[in-house]
Amino acid sequence: MTAPRLDGGLDVPPGPGFVASVAAATGIHRGEGGDLAQLLITHPGPRRQNETTETVEHGMRRLGTALHLGPGDEPPPVIGAQIMIQRGRAALDYGHDQYVMTIPSPSQDWLALLSVGALCRVCLVIAPLALGADQAETDAHLRESLARGLVMWGTTYARRRF
């Protein structure tokens, strides 16, 4: 008989059904040190049968752990080449042995930046965020989530081959 896991299975990537319900947005931070591609990963909250805020947050923690993201209040770890780009489409390898997470509608500037080897900061927010949130609501949610320890992040880059 196997003993129950103390970590709640956090090291097992969530399945494709959960990942398909995750929202992702790309952007570019233009700073003095150069441009940095960004990928924000959120979840709109319970929408499927038997889903609760707690199960959504657990799934987001599993996704963050599978990606090897670190706490948002510490320097972001480098998580390796997790982004794949091909023919104007992008996907994130989140550690599942059969599936990747599609990154919807990345801008041409974002794709071009990653195609030349630029880094990408992945920011995953564990607490649900409504799909209709505007920029101000998203910023406020991100700040509140960071203060509550509900943000994970890391630095990745694109693989040379899909």
Side-chain angles (χ1 to χ4, degrees), residues 98-119:
Q98 295 177 2
Y99 299 98
V100 295
M101 183 179 106
T102 301
I103 300 171
S105 306
S107 72
Q108 290 302 310
D109 290 346
W110 189 86
L111 290 168
L113 195 56
L114 283 166
S115 294
V116 296
L119 297 177

Side-chain angles (χ1 to χ4, degrees), residues 12-120:
V12 177
F18 179 82
V19 173
S21 66
V22 168
T26 60
I28 299 173
H29 174 75
R30 303 202 187 274
E32 291 179 19
D35 294 342
L36 177 67
Q38 297 178 315
L39 176 62
L40 175 65
I41 302 173
T42 61
H43 194 288
R47 298 187 306 172
R48 299 184 302 174
Q49 187 176 353
N50 298 326
E51 218 172 32
T52 65
T53 298
E54 291 77 22
T55 62
V56 166
E57 289 181 358
H58 179 73
M60 293 300 280
R61 281 186 179 88
R62 285 178 56 198
L63 180 57
T65 300
L67 283 165
H68 305 289
L69 301 177
D73 61 351
E74 295 181 9
V78 176
I79 62 171
Q82 301 304 103
I83 295 180
M84 300 167 285
I85 296 173
Q86 184 178 37
R87 295 187 205 134
R89 288 182 272 167
L92 180 68
D93 181 347
Y94 68 96
H96 195 282
D97 60 352
Q98 295 177 2
Y99 299 98
V100 295
M101 183 179 106
T102 301
I103 300 171
S105 306
S107 72
Q108 290 302 310
D109 290 346
W110 189 86
L111 290 168
L113 195 56
L114 283 166
S115 294
V116 296
L119 297 177
C120 178

Side-chain angles (χ1 to χ4, degrees), residues 98-153:
Q98 295 177 2
Y99 299 98
V100 295
M101 183 179 106
T102 301
I103 300 171
S105 306
S107 72
Q108 290 302 310
D109 290 346
W110 189 86
L111 290 168
L113 195 56
L114 283 166
S115 294
V116 296
L119 297 177
C120 178
R121 184 71 33 83
V122 177
C123 180
L124 181 143
V125 181
I126 295 167
L129 173 66
L131 282 177
D134 63 19
Q135 186 65 50
E137 292 167 324
T138 300
D139 289 346
H141 182 72
L142 184 54
R143 290 181 204 291
E144 179 183 327
S145 295
L146 184 58
R148 294 178 44 214
L150 297 175
V151 173
M152 300 173 77
W153 70 341

